[in-house]
Amino acid sequence: MEEELIQIKNSAVSLILDAKDKRELDDLKIRFLGRSGRLTLAIRELSKLPKEKRPEIGRLANEVKNTIEETIFEKESRLTKQRSQKLKEKIDITIPGIKPLIGHLHPLSQVLYNVIDVFKSLGFQTADGPEIETDKYNFGVLNFPKDHPARDTQQTLFLDTHNSKHTPGETILRTHTSTMQGRIMEKIKPPFRVIVPGKVFRYEQTDSSHGFEFWQFEGYAVDKNITFTDLMGTLDYFVRKFFGESTKIKFASHNFPFTEPSLEGYVSCVVCKEKGCNFCKQSGWVEVLGGGMIHPNVLNNVGIDPSRWQGFAFGTGLSRLATLKFQMDDLRLLTNPDLRILNQF
Ligand code: DAH
């Protein structure tokens, strides 16, 4: 018995010292000290010994147990130390970390939120509406007579209405956000101030300053005693808030079927500060909007009495504003998903 205990001790100690990892050590623990482990079984045999031998062998068995437990404990802490040492070698805390990719708003969205903020501060609400439109809201309500040459200015994309119940020529992709004058004014009662940003479509050859789809925003206000100077003051305020206080706006007279009188607005070139550059085609000014007093026919078409209410309206190329603000020399960059471009704005 004595010999057996010594043998158990020796073999346990040498196996424990050789253990390569924690798992192997756990297995050994079970193999020697577990319920049917070698030492446990040997201790159970103690009862079979003659009485006078028991205390001595019992003490030896205890010593063996303690030695095995201590060896396991020591080996365990050595293994833990080795593991953290290895990890330390693997993790070089001096290597610069990997910066997580953080997205940001698309330049068009930045401009859009900017515009909404300025007009919100002037009491304008924001609305949106359908890109697929009817002739009625794109033209009819807006005082474009049928077959009138003014429609030609709006290079319209017509939808194929084959096999549908729509009359040919009735359904189109909206050419301007002015469609939302009729759609909203029909529903709400004056006074109101509204802006409508959105995508519009034109049958147009694309180049650096023209796209077949681009963003606009429409703005209009209807109230009592609204005048042309309210329109000019509002646009002047917007331009200064949007581009910076030193930016100027100038107006030229124009003609739109849905406004009378009408104007066109130009901002001083933010790139060259009116000196003349490629961006403004050497003129120092960039055309950005059209506007005017809402035509009485339009108010009548939406059920608002023009003898009691007046309004102004304007439409701006949001994409144009974005390229100007970010000094992009090509409108198409706004629809290019290349991150090397987008990350610059
Ligand atoms: N809808 C016009 C366009 O896209 C822009 C415009 C001009 C809008 C005058 C207006 C306006 O509301 O009054 O060319």
Side-chain angles (χ1 to χ4, degrees), residues 16-30:
I16 289 165
L17 292 179
D18 283 349
K20 277 189 276 314
D21 51 32
K22 177 92 175 47
R23 222 162 100 208
E24 211 173 297
L25 197 62
D26 287 343
D27 284 348
L28 288 171
K29 209 191 265 184
I30 295 167

Side-chain angles (χ1 to χ4, degrees), residues 5-278:
L5 285 172
I6 304 274
Q7 208 196 355
I8 290 175
K9 182 176 87 178
N10 290 344
S11 95
V13 167
S14 93
L15 284 169
I16 289 165
L17 292 179
D18 283 349
K20 277 189 276 314
D21 51 32
K22 177 92 175 47
R23 222 162 100 208
E24 211 173 297
L25 197 62
D26 287 343
D27 284 348
L28 288 171
K29 209 191 265 184
I30 295 167
R31 220 161 103 192
F32 287 95
L33 306 177
R35 240 201 273 168
S36 35
R38 270 180 77 187
L39 183 66
T40 319
L41 294 181
I43 290 174
R44 235 175 259 159
E45 295 293 304
L46 279 178
S47 55
K48 292 186 189 150
L49 288 174
K51 240 191 181 161
E52 64 282 8
K53 276 238 161 201
R54 274 188 225 160
E56 195 191 329
I57 304 288
R59 217 175 302 124
L60 178 65
N62 248 341
E63 263 175 43
V64 170
K65 191 172 176 210
N66 288 342
T67 310
I68 295 178
E69 278 174 351
E70 273 163 29
T71 319
I72 288 176
F73 180 76
E74 274 163 27
K75 179 74 183 182
E76 209 162 21
S77 50
R78 208 170 319 142
L79 280 176
T80 317
K81 245 192 229 155
Q82 274 171 5
R83 252 191 45 215
S84 55
Q85 189 62 36
K86 257 193 214 150
L87 269 179
K88 260 192 215 148
E89 278 162 22
K90 265 196 208 149
I91 302 170
D92 180 352
I93 54 164
T94 63
I95 291 178
I98 299 169
K99 223 172 152 189
L101 275 179
I102 298 173
H104 69 286
L105 286 178
H106 187 279
L108 255 176
S109 306
Q110 294 177 36
V111 164
L112 177 62
Y113 292 144
N114 226 207
V115 165
I116 291 174
D117 278 349
V118 177
F119 280 98
K120 204 165 154 189
S121 74
L122 292 173
F124 282 73
Q125 288 175 292
T126 307
D128 73 6
E131 289 169 5
I132 294 177
E133 256 303 354
T134 54
D135 179 280
K136 174 182 163 189
Y137 290 107
N138 203 85
F139 296 117
V141 173
L142 291 169
N143 200 32
F144 283 85
K146 278 247 184 263
D147 304 320
H148 194 277
R151 291 187 175 215
D152 294 347
T153 61
Q154 298 275 320
Q155 295 105 321
T156 310
L157 286 157
F158 294 88
L159 292 187
D160 185 357
T161 44
H162 248 72
N163 301 327
S164 81
K165 43 182 191 323
H166 298 281
T167 324
E170 259 304 305
T171 316
I172 62 171
L173 290 177
R174 69 175 172 196
T175 62
H176 51 184
T177 42
S178 306
T179 51
M180 290 304 289
Q181 285 194 27
R183 281 193 179 273
I184 292 180
M185 290 202 278
E186 258 180 6
K187 291 205 186 82
I188 55 174
K189 291 208 158 40
F192 48 73
R193 298 170 197 186
V194 185
I195 59 164
V196 191
K199 221 197 289 186
V200 301
F201 308 84
R202 302 256 173 113
Y203 181 63
E204 192 138 34
Q205 190 77 33
T206 56
D207 63 25
S208 61
S209 51
H210 295 90
F212 66 88
E213 66 174 4
F214 53 97
W215 284 71
Q216 279 192 337
F217 76 92
E218 183 78 8
Y220 47 92
V222 174
D223 206 331
K224 291 205 163 116
N225 305 321
I226 284 212
T227 65
F228 206 47
T229 43
D230 291 325
L231 169 64
M232 293 196 276
T234 304
L235 294 173
D236 178 60
Y237 177 84
F238 164 68
V239 161
R240 279 185 291 112
K241 287 288 165 249
F242 182 78
F243 286 114
E245 282 301 330
S246 63
T247 314
K248 290 187 254 170
I249 187 165
K250 73 174 183 184
F251 301 105
S253 70
H254 204 71
N255 174 43
F256 298 104
F258 38 98
T259 43
E260 184 57 40
S262 306
L263 55 73
E264 229 177 11
Y266 298 79
V267 293
S268 52
C269 181
V270 290
V271 180
C272 65
K273 308 269 180 262
E274 280 173 74
K275 288 194 190 75
C277 66
N278 283 345

